Amino acid sequence: MGEQCSVAKRPASLLGIANKAKQDKKYKFGNLYELINKRTLYEAWRRINKGSVAGVDKETVKEFKANLESNLDEMVNELKNKKYKAKLVKRVYIPKGEKGRRPLGLPVLRDKIIQRAAASILEAIYEQDFIENSYGYRPSKNAHMAINAIKEEVSGKYNYVVEADIKGFFNNIDHDWMIRMLEERVKDKAFIGLIRRWLKAGILEPDGKVANPEKGCPQGSVISPILANIYLHYVIDLWYMKKVKPDAGKEAYYCRSADDFIFGFRYKEDAEKLLSALGTRLGKFGLELAEEKTGMVFFSRFKKHLGNKFSFLGFDFRWKESRNKKDYIVMETNPKRMTKSLKAFSTWCKENRNNRIRKIVDMVNL
């Protein structure tokens, strides 16, 4: 049958969860596992990307849709009887930089659907907790909003910008810390068990070998964006709000989009203090700074002749003077990053030229 189904309406239970989470910031939610029922699975099915590549079981969207009702019933029974097991995650690699490769994880379709249902529940809770200046992977925010906010905030308010980058963030998420963070808001062992299964799911490499991950969360899985946001919410966002900003006398700014973030400070000593403490803070949670992409920049319109700049989301920000002698911040695509990306993508295309066009397009769109 088609996608028209009596369970298409988004469940009001998520609205109730969101309201409770907003009202009580310390409330821990139970009975979340029971919310993953046929209705929420259908809503998840409706929302997932229908054009993605099939996983290791090779089940396609078309095949699943042909028996939609029975397939959803089968999934519900597996979950209800605690017989559900996460399948292997298919590993694919796409170019990153000049010589690097970015590993992506491709779950099977049924795992994607259940992950989407679980992610919606987590979003209902944590959207009430996430700070205003967190922009990535959120329903009502995006990277363009982050860029615009930065341009407005650093326009003369902050003289020093600290730009930072986490080395291999998704590959180094600590599983124990991830679970501990979730347990701050969730007291449902069955629901936590689902997350743990996905974190521990075996990775099928292109050479046929299976890796059993002890850390990390597959970038490309449906559940990874919300888990990444939760992780960095506790690691950086709250640390900044409770420690960094108060110590700087509120003369500080912070913006994050996924694992890309910057800090702005009025005074140099506050910027230096943050820079010296950031690596230790990340290290506590199994993360590491990419030293070559981390540093402090003097960013003042009064010294624009120095050409100082900082980077965020692949763009360079710098001060310029307009024809009528007014200072403004210009945003330009980082030339080195653009050159490296184009070269790497060209190489990747040559390596994959024997694949079918549909498969290449799906891999690029992951």
Side-chain angles (χ1 to χ4, degrees):
M1 65 181 291
E3 287 191 33
Q4 298 301 320
C5 180
S6 61
V7 295
K9 187 176 180 180
R10 192 170 185 177
S13 56
L14 293 184
L15 296 177
I17 289 174
N19 289 333
K20 183 64 178 179
K22 186 175 183 179
Q23 293 168 4
D24 189 347
K25 297 297 185 179
K26 294 184 179 181
Y27 186 81
K28 295 185 179 183
F29 292 86
N31 302 320
L32 298 179
Y33 187 87
E34 297 176 3
L35 296 180
I36 306 179
N37 50 36
K38 186 173 182 180
R39 182 172 184 172
T40 54
L41 288 179
Y42 178 83
E43 172 64 17
W45 152 258
R46 192 181 66 81
R47 294 180 61 190
I48 64 168
N49 177 15
K50 303 297 194 301
S52 59
V53 181
V56 296
D57 63 356
K58 299 183 180 180
E59 183 176 35
T60 66
V61 167
K62 183 178 181 180
E63 291 169 343
F64 186 88
K65 183 178 178 180
N67 298 288
L68 181 60
E69 292 290 338
S70 60
N71 285 332
L72 291 177
D73 287 337
E74 183 180 339
M75 293 165 65
V76 169
N77 288 332
E78 285 185 356
L79 289 165
K80 184 177 181 180
N81 296 319
K82 304 295 177 63
K83 294 183 178 180
Y84 166 75
K85 293 182 179 180
K87 300 293 192 300
L88 291 176
V89 176
K90 183 179 180 180
R91 177 78 82 199
V92 297
Y93 292 90
I94 62 173
K96 179 183 179 181
E98 189 173 359
K99 297 181 180 180
R101 295 191 303 167
R102 183 191 300 277
L104 297 179
L106 185 63
V108 300
L109 178 59
R110 298 186 185 217
D111 284 350
K112 289 180 184 178
I113 295 171
I114 300 174
Q115 286 185 19
R116 180 62 262 171
S120 296
I121 294 171
L122 291 176
E123 286 170 0
I125 298 171
Y126 284 95
E127 274 298 312
Q128 319 314 314
D129 294 351
F130 291 153
I131 67 173
E132 181 180 354
N133 291 345
S134 166
Y135 289 90
Y137 304 139
R138 299 185 61 184
S140 59
K141 293 178 178 286
N142 56 50
H144 294 292
M145 295 169 67
I147 290 171
N148 290 333
I150 288 175
K151 289 180 68 176
E152 180 178 349
E153 286 293 327
V154 301
S155 296
K157 298 180 182 179
Y158 306 100
N159 296 320
Y160 297 89
V161 173
V162 174
E163 50 184 333
D165 187 83
I166 301 175
K167 184 182 296 184
F169 167 64
F170 282 92
N171 296 333
N172 290 293
I173 291 176
D174 184 279
H175 292 173
D176 291 335
W177 271 116
M178 184 78 259
I179 297 301
R180 287 175 64 180
M181 292 169 183
L182 289 169
E183 288 175 343
E184 289 292 308
R185 280 299 223 167
V186 178
K187 62 175 181 180
D188 185 331
K189 290 184 179 179
F191 188 85
I192 292 292
L194 280 178
I195 306 297
R196 197 186 299 274
R197 287 189 190 97
W198 294 325
L199 291 174
K200 297 294 185 183
I203 307 293
L204 180 64
E205 295 288 348
D207 61 4
K209 295 181 180 179
V210 176
N212 296 302
E214 297 182 357
K215 60 180 180 179
C217 182
Q219 188 174 3
S221 70
V222 178
I223 198 69
S224 64
I226 182 62
L227 293 184
N229 259 347
I230 293 171
Y231 203 82
L232 291 177
H233 172 73
Y234 285 103
V235 174
I236 306 180
D237 298 1
L238 293 184
W239 177 63
Y240 167 79
M241 296 297 293
K242 295 181 178 180
K243 175 67 177 174
V244 176
K245 189 172 184 178
D247 285 356
K250 297 185 179 180
E251 299 285 349
Y253 175 69
Y254 166 66
C255 183
R256 178 175 67 81
S257 181
D259 57 336
D260 202 345
F261 54 96
I262 66 158
F263 300 88
F265 297 94
R266 185 176 295 275
Y267 302 109
K268 184 178 181 180
E269 54 266 33
D270 291 325
E272 291 176 334
K273 184 177 180 181
L274 176 281
L275 195 55
S276 66
L278 184 57
T280 301
R281 175 66 181 180
L282 293 178
K284 177 180 178 180
F285 300 93
L287 303 176
E288 181 182 355
L289 280 173
E291 297 294 341
E292 70 280 5
K293 298 180 181 179
T294 301
M296 181 180 69
V297 177
F298 179 54
F299 194 74
S300 170
R301 62 190 179 92
F302 299 109
K303 297 289 184 179
K304 56 182 174 292
H305 63 278
L306 297 176
N308 290 350
K309 63 182 180 180
F310 68 89
S311 298
F312 182 76
L313 294 177
F315 294 97
D316 289 342
F317 295 75
R318 69 175 80 239
W319 280 104
K320 278 194 174 183
E321 185 176 270
S322 66
R323 292 180 179 178
N324 57 0
K325 303 300 181 181
K326 288 187 177 181
D327 297 321
Y328 70 102
I329 294 176
V330 65
M331 184 181 71
E332 303 168 328
T333 302
N334 185 289
K336 289 185 178 179
R337 181 167 181 172
M338 175 64 76
T339 300
K340 288 181 179 179
S341 296
L342 289 175
K343 185 175 181 180
F345 185 67
S346 177
T347 300
W348 181 84
C349 287
K350 291 179 181 178
E351 293 174 348
N352 289 273
R353 62 182 179 273
N354 293 326
N355 287 322
R356 298 178 64 181
I357 294 296
R358 176 61 183 274
K359 181 178 181 180
I360 292 174
V361 171
D362 286 343
M363 293 174 71
V364 171
N365 287 333
L366 281 173

